[in-house]
């Protein structure tokens, strides 16, 4: 689903995705339309602008992730401001691109987000991880983490270091699907919804440095 209140931009993104072989099941111009059409179509990936008529993109992200925790939200925004990026990620967005991204970068981001990877415009990933690092002075309760297997912990460390599922699979000599299963099991055990939350957890517990 593509959500943007600028018709020309929305139509261009929809056309690019369709030409690349994606099935665009819905488009929306406002937050209200987005929520109604998401509930009706349940897309796997939502390409979403933050600055849309109410509710805004952050509120829409929060609600659709609540409705469908497996959904992947890729924010495509004119803003690269820290506050906007962190608000989107905290709400559950899996990726964040600024609108200066090329068509090829957008298509690659959609593909990676669909695979479960966290994708950011260069420079923004460091900003997000840096902020999570700053917040890590008071780590959350680790009782859930103690239930992870050694393999799940190993995969979690690699996720925290920014490795894609395919890179992890190659490093551990596993199938891409097996890596995805380990990540899904870890999400379930830690009661989290997406890779960004996993990365934050790993950083808060120092797993990214091991």
């Amino acid at each position: 689903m593509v959500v943007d209140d600028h018709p020309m931009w929305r139509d261009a993104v929809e056309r690019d995705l369709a030409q690349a072989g994606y099935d665009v099941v819905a488009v929306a111009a406002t937050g209200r339309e987005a929520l109604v059409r998401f509930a009706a179509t349940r897309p796997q990936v939502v390409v979403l602008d933050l600055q849309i008529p109410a509710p805004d993109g952050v509120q829409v992200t929060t609600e659709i992730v609540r409705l469908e925790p497996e959904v992947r939200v890729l924010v495509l925004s004119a803003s690269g401001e820290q506050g906007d990026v962190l608000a989107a990620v905290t709400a559950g967005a899996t990726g964040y691109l600024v609108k200066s991204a090329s068509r090829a970068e957008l298509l690659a981001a959609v593909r990676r987000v669909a695979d479960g990877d966290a994708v950011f415009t260069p420079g923004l990933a460091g900003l997000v991880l840096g902020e999570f690092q700053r917040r890590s002075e008071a780590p959350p309760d680790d009782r859930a983490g103690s239930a992870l297997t050694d393999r799940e912990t190993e995969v979690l460390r690699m996720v925290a270091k920014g490795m894609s599922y395919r890179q992890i699979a190659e490093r551990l000599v596993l199938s891409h699907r097996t890596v995805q299963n380990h990540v899904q099991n870890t999400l379930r055990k830690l009661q989290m919804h997406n890779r960004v939350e996993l990365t934050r957890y790993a950083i808060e517990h120092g797993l990214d440095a091991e």
Side-chain angles (χ1 to χ4, degrees):
M1 182 169 75
V2 177
V3 184
D4 197 302
D5 62 332
H6 292 89
M8 290 182 63
W9 188 269
R10 184 177 63 246
D11 291 347
V13 172
E14 179 186 11
R15 182 177 61 252
D16 287 345
L17 291 172
Q19 289 176 348
Y22 292 101
D23 184 13
V24 181
V25 297
V27 296
T30 69
R32 185 168 289 104
E33 285 181 357
L35 293 176
V36 170
R37 292 173 186 174
F38 178 84
T41 59
R42 296 291 173 135
Q44 294 175 304
V45 177
V46 178
V47 179
L48 171 73
D49 187 14
L50 289 185
Q51 305 302 323
I52 55 175
D56 65 23
V58 171
Q59 293 171 303
V60 169
T61 298
T62 299
E63 180 61 16
I64 65 177
V65 169
R66 185 189 68 80
L67 290 172
E68 182 56 68
E70 296 300 315
V71 69
R72 312 299 186 188
V73 179
L74 173 63
V75 171
L76 187 60
S77 174
S79 171
E81 294 296 318
Q82 175 174 329
D84 290 332
V85 179
L86 293 175
V89 171
T90 301
T94 314
Y96 196 110
L97 289 185
V98 295
K99 285 187 172 181
S100 58
S102 67
R103 177 181 183 275
E105 288 172 330
L106 170 62
L107 296 178
V110 169
R111 183 173 62 253
R112 289 185 59 197
V113 164
D115 282 341
D117 289 343
V119 181
F120 297 93
T121 291
L124 296 185
L127 179 155
V128 173
L129 294 179
E131 176 63 13
F132 285 164
Q133 186 94 50
R134 187 187 68 78
R135 297 177 183 179
S136 68
E137 294 176 357
D141 183 16
D142 191 36
R143 284 175 295 178
S146 64
L148 298 181
T149 66
D150 290 343
R151 179 64 88 184
E152 288 164 352
T153 301
E154 186 175 24
V155 170
L156 179 56
R157 288 194 186 102
M158 294 182 180
V159 167
K161 292 176 181 177
M163 296 175 66
S164 71
Y165 288 171
R166 296 193 186 281
Q167 289 173 323
I168 295 171
E170 290 173 2
R171 176 73 63 84
L172 298 179
V173 195
L174 299 172
S175 70
H176 183 269
R177 175 60 61 185
T178 297
V179 172
Q180 285 184 315
N181 288 340
H182 283 312
V183 172
Q184 290 304 315
N185 288 339
T186 302
L187 286 170
R188 177 178 53 78
K189 288 180 179 180
L190 297 179
Q191 298 182 348
M192 295 179 181
H193 299 116
N194 55 55
R195 179 173 174 145
V196 174
E197 291 182 358
L198 275 185
T199 301
R200 176 180 178 179
Y201 173 90
I203 290 172
E204 289 175 340
H205 290 78
L207 296 178
D208 61 320
E210 296 185 20

